[in-house]
Amino acid sequence: MVFVFCSYGALVAPHRVPGTRPDAWLPLSWIALAIAIGILALICLRRPAAVSVLLVASAAFAAPPVVRIATAFAGEHRAQAVVDGADGPSRRRLSPDIYWIVLDGYPRQDVLQDVFAFDDSSFIRSLTALDFIVLGKSRANFPITINSISSTLNMDYTIQGDGAGLKPFPEAELYSIIKGKSRAVARLKALGYSYVHFENGYDYLTGCGAEEAKCVHGNTGLDELDTAILSNTPIIDLILHWDNPEGRLEAATFAWGGVADLTSKLDEIRRTRAPFFLYAHIMAPHPPMRFHADCSFRFTDPDLQGWNAAARPAFIEQLNCVNTQTLTMLGRLLQSDPGALVALQSDHGTAFNGQFNKPPADWSDDDLHERFGALNALRLPAPCRASAAADLTLVDTFPLILSCLTGDEFKRHTPRFFVTPYDNSEAYGHAYEYAADRIR
């Protein structure tokens, strides 16, 4: 019965039209079928040979998700070498509160124009009016969140080996870096900063680590791990069928993660002992496409890989919502903390051209432009604004910030750009490096 119940995701869900509300009859019928087969199995339990076959089949079915979940939880384990070099200067000449706010999947302004024919200049002008420097040629160093965020926080490329042996750090180390065990966090703590981690409430990767002193939770609901488990069963379609937030995101079953979640927690964050460093990762405008332009709720599937080319108009609607909510959030933030140092960035661009359905060697220049061109807007103290070059890559974010705080020389990395295939690819565990002159 369990085998049939949990095979729903593999056999039925892939044939559902994305973005459409599923009918209730199919998951209910599947549940009835599972119960009927369970009754039949009970009858067969009198036969030892049948029991053995059922046990083997159940174990084979259960093994892949168990391994995936165990791998995810392994990310909580502490890595041994990720904070090498944490003993930096213990002095500082400036001590503003630092807000690192990541808008996941937000493209650079020219990419939005080239790929979507969307003019984002109004948002960019609003950021400039708030004293941000918007880096018009900035690029991500990786096109995948786990590698991009970990390299930014570790202030170096989270890559080892070279040539054909090039590969990312082990996944457990990358998780540990993102969850607070990074060089940037260690250096800032050495300078007297408190650390605050805001989790958006949906994806496990950017959630708080178990040992973090202060974790601020965004919107609550079913998260990525819950969804991954439920997606194997008809329960997921029953939830999608009956989930009716009537335009109100806070009434939705799934914890979608939006900028307004951070806005609602600013007062709590401000109660942290100053100076503090906040890492806030917002799962927008990244899919799922759950916001209309007016920020009302759009029905959608809870799929983080929903880079469907037909969803480009929905992405722009969602981006308009993100722009509105971000400016509201920044207005409140700067009103209460006018001296704040703020890094408003993406971790990578979009992938509507089917990049992850191709081998890395087959990515075209247009594919690279869309995926690596990332938003990067910095609100820096006056003494170091001149160091924010237009083509700065994300790995140099915290070396620049630390230079601002201490007055030490800012030394840029030689720009390098990698792709590390997802775990559903034959090339998983390897890394592919692109020539720097291809990433414009």
Side-chain angles (χ1 to χ4, degrees), residues 55-296:
L55 287 174
V56 170
S58 297
F61 178 79
V66 167
V67 170
R68 288 195 298 270
I69 293 169
T71 300
F73 279 113
E76 292 284 3
H77 295 172
R78 301 180 64 177
Q80 298 301 312
V82 296
V83 294
D84 289 348
D87 295 331
S90 58
R91 70 188 190 284
R92 61 176 190 260
R93 61 173 180 173
L94 299 172
S95 55
D97 295 326
I98 300 169
Y99 299 77
W100 182 38
I101 301 167
V102 178
L103 303 178
D104 202 301
Y106 197 116
R108 208 171 59 202
Q109 181 183 7
D110 61 314
V111 176
L112 284 168
Q113 185 65 58
D114 295 343
V115 177
F116 300 90
F118 176 74
D119 182 2
D120 203 29
S121 59
S122 175
F123 179 64
I124 301 301
R125 285 195 301 270
S126 296
L127 292 178
T128 302
L130 293 172
D131 210 24
F132 281 85
I133 303 169
V134 182
L135 309 186
K137 298 180 181 179
S138 186
R139 295 152 294 172
N141 302 98
F142 295 85
I144 296 175
T145 297
I146 188 171
N147 306 100
S148 181
I149 294 296
S150 61
S151 64
T152 301
L153 280 168
N154 227 35
M155 302 189 293
D156 203 355
Y157 305 110
T158 47
I159 288 290
Q160 53 194 350
D162 52 39
L166 200 64
K167 60 183 181 180
F169 283 10
E171 197 167 88
E173 289 193 19
L174 301 181
Y175 271 89
S176 183
I177 292 170
I178 294 171
K179 294 177 182 293
K181 305 299 180 183
S182 68
R183 290 172 177 164
V185 170
R187 289 285 299 276
L188 287 167
K189 285 182 175 179
L191 290 171
Y193 274 78
S194 305
Y195 177 54
V196 188
H197 190 144
F198 172 87
E199 63 173 31
N200 65 76
Y202 182 68
D203 75 308
Y204 175 77
L205 170 64
T206 59
C208 297
E211 300 177 20
E212 289 177 349
K214 183 160 185 178
C215 176
V216 177
H217 300 277
N219 191 25
T220 58
L222 297 179
D223 63 17
E224 182 182 22
L225 186 59
D226 299 328
T227 303
I229 295 171
L230 291 174
S231 291
N232 290 316
T233 77
I235 300 298
I236 191 74
D237 275 356
L238 290 176
I239 293 173
L240 291 172
H241 176 77
W242 280 307
D243 192 30
N244 184 23
E246 298 178 348
R248 296 179 297 113
L249 189 66
E250 65 273 13
T253 303
F254 297 96
W256 297 109
V259 180
D261 296 337
L262 174 59
T263 307
S264 69
K265 301 294 184 178
L266 286 177
D267 289 342
E268 179 180 348
I269 291 165
R270 289 280 297 144
R271 288 194 289 270
T272 306
R273 179 183 61 81
F276 61 78
F277 164 51
L278 167 72
Y279 165 39
H281 197 119
I282 311 298
M283 283 305 300
H286 194 288
M289 309 306 178
R290 66 273 194 195
F291 297 112
H292 291 289
D294 63 359
C295 295
S296 59

Side-chain angles (χ1 to χ4, degrees), residues 26-42:
L26 183 55
L28 290 174
S29 299
W30 197 269
I31 292 172
L33 175 64
I35 292 172
I37 291 177
I39 293 171
L40 181 62
L42 287 174

